[in-house]
Amino acid sequence: MKAKWLLSIIAVIALVLSVSPDIAFAAESGTSTGTFGCGNSAPNVSAVALVDLADVGVTTMTPQVEYNIKVTVSDANTLDDLDTVKVWIYYDADGTFNSSQKVDPGNTQTGAVLTWTNATPDTWTIDPAASTTWAIVGGNCSSPALTGSSGNFQFHFKAGKVATESAGASEWHIYAVADDGTVTDDAYQEGREMAWYGEITVNTATVNWGSVAAGMDFGEDTDSEEGSISVTYLANGAYDEKIAASETWTGAPSGTATIIP
């Protein structure tokens, strides 16, 4: 009964429409506007790699030589959602990676912190930044297009002259963190080496021993020792001091003196 009654109503409406060509009809569709927000998606750090300037992976760093740390980051909200990407490069005496051991800025013998900050233009910093030979080579650093959802952040740097040599079981580790202001993600590369580095600076240009007795031994704590000579030694590991003559020294008025290594 219900179905037949509905059929009759539809038939009547159809008949009325067919004989009433001047009837105006309302719109059969409409539009509506609205807004929605995209929820925050955590960034992802998928890779950390130490490479040389030819983009070849390296396992050993030499102080004062430029290297690049590539940090691969993705974010579904685009990379412009990031606030910072930070890299800790630090010395570890026992050689076993643990992110809680990452160096706090200030000790130039045990590491540094490199930071990219989302700004216009990009900001690249190193901590410590003063009284150190660690350096971030800002002109060579680069970030990917922030409109994209993934890419490589490239931190070019030089390790300091006293960055501790990784002798024995000790190692250097690289730890990276991407932060979007709400959540973070991290990754690391462990077991890198730091080569030995040393410098000698002779601060005294000329020395006058005065009258030297023939056959006198030359050595520390003898009459031949000259306390006014100043030499600066700088090294990131163990070293020995040795002194030798580059050539035979001649004296006046006559005779010669030779320093034997």
Side-chain angles (χ1 to χ4, degrees):
M1 176 65 71
K2 196 171 190 179
K4 290 181 180 179
W5 177 246
L6 181 59
L7 180 61
S8 299
I9 293 174
I10 293 173
V12 171
I13 292 174
L15 180 61
V16 171
L17 293 178
S18 67
V19 297
S20 306
D22 297 329
I23 295 177
F25 299 99
E28 296 179 355
S29 64
T31 60
S32 177
T33 61
T35 61
F36 68 90
C38 181
N40 186 61
S41 178
N44 174 253
V45 183
S46 58
V48 177
L50 175 68
V51 300
D52 61 17
L53 298 187
D55 202 30
V56 176
V58 296
T59 58
T60 301
M61 296 170 282
T62 298
Q64 299 300 281
V65 173
E66 183 176 342
Y67 298 97
N68 178 21
I69 297 175
K70 294 202 304 184
V71 182
T72 305
V73 182
S74 61
D75 192 317
N77 300 117
T78 77
L79 296 176
D80 196 36
D81 187 49
L82 297 172
D83 287 351
T84 61
V85 177
K86 281 191 173 186
V87 173
W88 284 261
I89 176 168
Y90 64 97
Y91 172 79
D92 174 27
D94 64 20
T96 302
F97 174 79
N98 185 334
S99 63
S100 65
Q101 295 176 336
K102 65 182 184 295
V103 65
D104 289 325
N107 189 339
T108 58
Q109 295 182 353
T110 55
V113 183
L114 316 176
T115 303
W116 167 84
T117 301
N118 191 348
T120 305
D122 285 351
T123 301
W124 303 87
T125 57
I126 188 170
D127 196 354
S131 301
T132 179
T133 52
W134 281 87
I136 190 164
V137 188
N140 292 342
C141 295
S142 65
S143 61
L146 300 185
T147 53
S149 60
S150 65
N152 292 323
F153 291 83
Q154 307 199 53
F155 294 81
H156 283 249
F157 74 100
K158 295 180 180 180
K161 295 178 180 181
V162 293
T164 306
E165 178 194 14
S166 53
S170 63
E171 304 283 1
W172 282 75
H173 307 311
I174 302 169
Y175 177 62
V177 175
D179 185 352
D180 69 1
T182 303
V183 288
T184 64
D185 190 48
D186 57 15
Y188 64 91
Q189 185 175 62
E190 63 181 324
R192 305 299 92 173
E193 305 285 344
M194 188 70 69
W196 187 89
Y197 180 88
E199 288 183 359
I200 299 174
T201 303
V202 180
N203 304 305
T204 306
T206 59
V207 182
N208 184 354
W209 272 269
S211 178
V212 177
M216 177 187 292
D217 290 334
F218 183 88
E220 191 173 2
D221 299 325
T222 69
D223 291 340
S224 67
E225 184 173 5
E226 174 54 66
S228 65
I229 301 174
S230 173
V231 180
T232 301
Y233 297 88
L234 182 150
N236 68 343
Y239 67 93
D240 294 321
E241 300 175 31
K242 292 185 178 181
I243 300 173
S246 59
E247 58 185 288
T248 298
W249 291 6
T250 59
S254 63
T256 62
T258 303
I259 295 180
I260 302 175

